[in-house]
């Protein structure tokens, strides 16, 4: 269950207390779609790890599930789409940012309320309801897309962080390849 009575925005702020945020305000969406209630809050920081907490009917889903995969898919698609439309991806060798690049430095809380949750596995820590993926995806595509259009300065900060992550990943791959090739020659 949530530790914060005031909700998930405060939870995200708490999770980011020791980090430097890239944007001051926590992005927050809530509502109901197709009988599924949702609350999603996210904020980027200068760290290199992803910190995502997910819940179904206030039960922690530590293994994620369809609500988290819908969130991740939409986040990747929406940021790539916005960055591409702004011409920011020209600096990359790949034409798009990868999901790992986009989630670097992300703190998010995803909470859904559904009438008949179906959990996978014995521990019931992963949501299996397939319809929830599409619902969360549509919400994030729509609401995050609108946010990025309305807040280009913040959007550009987020995208630049993800581009840096992509460059670092590419540099690490090149260094690994170089070391491996050198090892073969020895």
């Amino acid at each position: 269950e949530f530790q914060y009575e005031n909700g998930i925005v405060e939870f995200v702020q708490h999770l980011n207390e020791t980090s430097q945020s890239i944007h001051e305000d926590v992005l927050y969406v809530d509502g109901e779609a197709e009988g599924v209630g949702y609350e999603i809050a996210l904020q980027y920081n200068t760290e290199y790890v992803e910190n995502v907490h997910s819940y179904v009917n206030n039960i922690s889903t530590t293994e994620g599930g369809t609500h988290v995969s819908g969130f991740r898919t939409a986040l990747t698609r929406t940021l790539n789409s916005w960055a591409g439309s702004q011409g920011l991806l020209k600096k990359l060798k790949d034409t798009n940012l990868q999901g790992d690049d986009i989630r670097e430095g992300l703190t998010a809380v995803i909470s859904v309320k559904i009438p008949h949750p179906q959990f996978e596995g014995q521990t019931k820590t992963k949501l299996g309801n397939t319809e929830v993926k599409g619902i969360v995806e549509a919400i994030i595509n729509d609401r995050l897309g609108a946010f990025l259009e309305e807040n280009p300065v913040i959007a550009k900060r987020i995208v630049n962080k993800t581009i840096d992550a992509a460059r670092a990943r590419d540099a690490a791959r090149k260094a690994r390849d170089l070391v491996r090739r050198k090892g073969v020659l020895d």
Side-chain angles (χ1 to χ4, degrees), residues 79-144:
L79 278 170
N80 267 313
S81 173
W82 187 86
S85 73
Q86 302 298 309
L88 298 173
L89 298 178
K90 292 175 186 167
K91 308 169 194 171
L92 289 178
K93 283 200 167 81
D94 298 332
T95 51
N96 279 325
L97 296 158
Q98 293 183 5
D100 286 344
D101 304 329
I102 285 177
R103 293 189 306 271
E104 187 175 288
L106 170 70
T107 299
V109 177
I110 305 154
S111 175
V112 294
K113 298 217 180 339
I114 54 179
H116 305 291
Q118 297 164 350
F119 294 100
E120 294 177 9
Q122 301 238 308
T123 55
K124 301 208 182 298
T125 54
K126 185 175 184 181
L127 181 66
N129 296 57
T130 52
E131 71 279 7
V132 176
K133 182 181 190 294
I135 292 168
V136 171
E137 227 176 290
I139 292 159
I140 293 299
N141 277 334
D142 180 48
R143 303 284 288 277
L144 181 61

Side-chain angles (χ1 to χ4, degrees), residues 9-118:
V9 170
E10 289 78 8
F11 190 27
V12 169
Q13 289 169 333
H14 170 73
L15 292 169
N16 271 342
E17 266 177 359
T18 59
S19 305
Q20 183 181 350
S21 299
I22 288 180
H23 50 96
E24 191 175 327
D25 293 332
V26 174
L27 312 185
Y28 174 77
V29 296
D30 69 340
E32 190 178 309
E34 300 175 43
V36 174
Y38 59 87
E39 267 191 293
I40 301 167
L42 65 101
Q43 186 178 42
Y44 277 89
N45 60 51
T46 56
E47 306 291 323
Y48 303 107
V49 293
E50 171 188 12
N51 187 3
V52 174
H53 295 262
S54 64
Y55 300 86
V56 173
N57 298 349
N58 288 340
I59 298 165
S60 178
T61 48
T62 53
E63 293 181 56
T66 55
H67 55 321
V68 175
S69 62
F71 171 79
R72 287 178 172 162
T73 299
L75 188 70
T76 302
R77 183 183 301 130
T78 305
L79 278 170
N80 267 313
S81 173
W82 187 86
S85 73
Q86 302 298 309
L88 298 173
L89 298 178
K90 292 175 186 167
K91 308 169 194 171
L92 289 178
K93 283 200 167 81
D94 298 332
T95 51
N96 279 325
L97 296 158
Q98 293 183 5
D100 286 344
D101 304 329
I102 285 177
R103 293 189 306 271
E104 187 175 288
L106 170 70
T107 299
V109 177
I110 305 154
S111 175
V112 294
K113 298 217 180 339
I114 54 179
H116 305 291
Q118 297 164 350

